[in-house]
Amino acid sequence: MSLISALSWPLLYLVSEWAIRLLMLVIIPFRRSPEAAKGWLLFFFFLPWPALFLYVLIGRPNYPRWRRDRFARMPQVLKPARNKIRDVTAQQLPDLPGNLVQAATLIEKLGQFPSLGGNRAELLPDYAGTIDRIVADIDRARSHVHLLFYIFADDRSGRAVIEALVRAVDRGVACRVLIDALGSRAWAPRVIAALEASGVAVHLVLPVNLLRRRSARADLRNHRKIAVIDGEIGYAGSQNIVNADFNPRVTNQELVVRVTGPIVLELQAVFVADWFLETEEVLDAMALFPEPRSTGTIVAQVLPSGPDYPEAGVERLVEALVHGARRRVVITTPYFIPNEALLHALETAVLRGVDVHLVLSRPVDQILVSLAQKSYYAELLEAGVRIHLYRDKLLHAKHLTIDNRVSLIGSSNIDMRSFTLNSEVSLVLFDREFNAHLREEQERYFAASDTVDPETWRRRSLASKTVENIARMLSPLL
């Protein structure tokens, strides 16, 4: 009898593994990209039970029901803000050629914000200088300060911002701060204690605690970086509130844009929405959305994206812009794991005669992502895409330019995490002069980069190619 039992347990385990595999052949392909489906099915084929455990935890990019219910109330919560934005005389369609004219319409359909004119934008490539500018603007705040950052540390950079917020509260300025629970986990207790002790309203975004009924999933994060001061000044881009060398292995190079004008109202609306999702507090729209004044000539638009916006993936916009390009595409990102649609769009753009550049970072902070990223180089190089590897720092900046007419800068990487799992925000600017400034920054990247030679890349070792392609198969899960 014991022998039969000994034989039956291995058989039962084997049957259970095949039952899981066959079941997932039916479940996995539903509402999932072919790339993601292949990654999950491969995982299930080799390790059915571990894959099932991971799938239960993170298999679907959906927030808990309580958060989805709260998001369903968002149209009513944001109605006063949207009405204010739509009533401003700054609504203006960008002056674009026919091949790009639908970009603004696409952004509005995805994110529900119209394009607004009368804005001014300034690029901030200096890391410490960006922190100094944010601090200076907080010190001039009269009404309110809103900060939303994936990482908020209590190091030198973070303390400078904390001290500015304390001074603002002492002047009677309302200060509200949102920080991602996972991104800021190393510093959050100290940052929150310092801010709360000074009267700053601060909340952790998407806290993870398996013992709590409303715990968030660890892989669904708020990756946005937004600062809004008095509803008149806004910041967006790639930089967090943390020292550039917070990771001992690398030093970050970032790019942020400081904006004034009506477009700040759209950044404000993104913050107000996230504040409601975390606190269920409806902020006073009349106090936070002042009548905008024109400060420049730039037409701009904000696109929020993430699991809360199932139709608002930033990848749709990037793909559409690349398909619309006629002369030049430059994409800068630290993490490049494209879906098939974007990969084909880039290759097709080259075939149409478009000059396509991809600016990536030679120093890396995520080894597996870097390996998966390298697996795409051969195909891109063969198609004619030029790949530049920034030498000295981790180029963490995230932006692109299309035909010297459209610029996109924000928090989103070109990978499945930013496309599907993270809450991101992108600022799109339709302006030749701003595009020229961003192009100057890109040229500096080119000068500080090594261009990947197609022939040299082809000659790399078989072992390297094998490891990279194994990582690529797992890329939909990264």
Side-chain angles (χ1 to χ4, degrees):
M1 189 70 175
S2 59
L3 178 61
I4 295 175
S5 300
L7 291 174
S8 63
W9 281 111
L11 180 61
L12 181 61
Y13 185 79
L14 180 63
V15 170
S16 71
E17 285 191 323
W18 277 105
I20 292 171
R21 291 184 182 113
L22 293 173
L23 180 65
M24 288 304 166
L25 276 175
V26 178
I27 294 175
I28 292 294
F30 275 90
R31 299 183 63 186
R32 182 176 273 108
S33 69
E35 301 89 17
K38 285 186 289 187
W40 275 109
L41 289 174
L42 184 69
F43 192 11
F44 273 103
F45 180 82
F46 285 106
L47 298 168
W49 277 105
L52 181 62
F53 175 76
L54 190 63
Y55 185 82
V56 170
L57 289 179
I58 65 170
R60 290 287 181 183
N62 295 325
Y63 285 121
R65 179 175 294 279
W66 67 265
R67 185 180 173 95
R68 296 199 302 271
D69 292 342
R70 196 173 290 182
F71 187 80
R73 295 161 53 195
M74 192 63 67
Q76 190 61 34
V77 171
L78 282 182
K79 186 175 181 180
R82 293 193 190 281
N83 289 343
K84 188 65 176 286
I85 292 171
R86 294 185 183 282
D87 287 345
V88 301
T89 58
Q91 280 202 55
Q92 179 181 338
L93 291 175
D95 179 21
L96 293 171
N99 54 296
L100 293 171
V101 73
Q102 291 182 323
T105 303
L106 175 63
I107 299 168
E108 183 170 357
K109 293 292 185 182
L110 293 175
Q112 304 301 308
F113 291 128
S115 54
L116 302 176
N119 305 291
R120 182 176 182 273
E122 177 185 2
L123 285 174
L124 303 177
D126 179 69
Y127 197 106
T130 298
I131 297 294
D132 291 342
R133 291 294 296 275
I134 293 174
V135 167
D137 283 332
I138 293 174
D139 280 335
R140 288 190 289 266
R142 307 179 308 277
S143 170
H144 63 270
V145 176
H146 290 163
L147 303 181
L148 165 57
F149 284 88
Y150 178 65
I151 298 176
F152 195 135
D154 69 339
D155 56 12
R156 183 182 64 259
S157 299
R159 285 192 295 272
V161 175
I162 290 171
E163 290 166 5
L165 290 169
V166 171
R167 292 191 295 270
V169 170
D170 289 343
R171 298 194 308 272
V173 175
C175 296
R176 301 178 180 92
V177 175
L178 292 171
I179 58 177
D180 185 81
L182 197 61
S184 300
R185 66 189 180 280
W187 308 277
R190 297 185 296 276
V191 170
I192 291 173
L195 292 175
E196 287 183 337
S198 304
V200 176
V202 56
H203 288 274
L204 277 179
V205 177
L206 299 170
V208 179
N209 186 338
L210 298 181
L211 300 179
R212 291 179 51 187
R213 185 174 65 87
R214 290 193 169 186
S215 173
R217 277 174 37 177
D219 61 325
L220 299 182
R221 310 316 313 157
N222 192 316
H223 194 242
R224 294 171 180 144
K225 293 95 176 167
I226 297 174
V228 177
I229 295 93
D230 291 340
E232 298 175 352
I233 299 170
Y235 289 82
S238 62
Q239 185 169 333
N240 290 289
I241 300 179
V242 65
N243 289 346
D245 58 354
F246 77 96
N247 184 333
R249 298 191 304 273
V250 295
T251 299
N252 281 21
Q253 176 74 45
E254 308 284 358
L255 191 63
V256 172
V257 60
R258 179 185 185 270
V259 292
T260 58
I263 194 61
V264 178
L265 300 183
E266 295 188 354
L267 290 174
Q268 182 85 289
V270 176
F271 179 90
V272 168
D274 280 354
W275 185 266
F276 170 76
L277 287 173
E278 296 306 321
T279 69
E280 217 168 0
E281 178 186 359
V282 181
L283 298 178
D284 183 3
M286 296 301 294
L288 302 181
F289 292 85
E291 189 64 33
R293 60 186 181 86
S294 175
T295 60
T297 60
I298 295 176
V299 177
Q301 207 166 0
V302 168
L303 174 64
S305 58
D308 282 326
Y309 301 81
E311 302 301 323
V314 68
E315 81 277 10
R316 293 194 182 203
L317 175 60
V318 175
E319 292 162 15
L321 289 172
V322 172
H323 278 300
R326 293 295 179 267
R327 292 190 298 277
R328 193 171 193 260
V329 173
V330 181
I331 298 177
T332 302
T333 181
Y335 313 119
F336 181 79
I337 302 181
N339 56 21
E340 289 296 323
L342 179 56
L343 196 64
H344 292 159
L346 292 169
E347 295 169 357
T348 303
V350 175
L351 291 174
R352 296 198 313 271
V354 178
D355 187 21
V356 179
H357 297 261
L358 185 60
V359 186
L360 306 172
S361 181
R362 184 178 291 281
V364 298
D365 62 342
Q366 298 188 30
I367 301 301
L368 188 58
V369 173
S370 175
L371 290 170
Q373 174 174 294
K374 290 176 180 176
S375 72
Y376 293 92
Y377 291 2
E379 182 178 350
L380 290 165
L381 291 167
E382 184 177 347
V385 174
R386 281 183 270 188
I387 301 176
H388 309 263
L389 300 180
Y390 194 76
R391 285 188 294 268
D392 299 328
K393 297 180 179 180
L394 172 62
L395 185 58
H396 192 250
K398 313 157 197 298
H399 51 83
L400 65 86
T401 57
I402 304 291
D403 287 357
N404 301 319
R405 302 297 294 271
V406 180
S407 306
L408 183 151
I409 182 168
S411 63
S412 180
N413 300 302
I414 305 297
D415 65 3
M416 295 303 176
R417 178 160 296 281
S418 284
F419 287 173
T420 307
L421 301 176
N422 286 342
S423 294
E424 308 281 5
V425 65
S426 301
L427 180 62
V428 188
L429 303 103
F430 307 96
D431 186 78
R432 288 179 181 272
E433 184 177 352
F434 179 85
N435 198 288
H437 291 314
L438 186 51
R439 180 164 179 169
E440 289 173 4
E441 194 65 30
Q442 292 167 342
E443 293 293 340
R444 283 192 284 272
Y445 294 161
F446 294 164
S449 299
D450 299 315
T451 303
V452 180
D453 176 65
E455 185 57 36
T456 302
W457 188 255
R458 263 194 300 272
R459 292 200 302 266
R460 73 196 191 284
S461 70
L462 177 61
S464 295
K465 296 176 183 178
T466 301
V467 172
E468 290 161 7
N469 280 283
I470 290 173
R472 177 171 179 164
M473 287 189 289
L474 298 175
S475 63
L477 312 181
L478 297 178

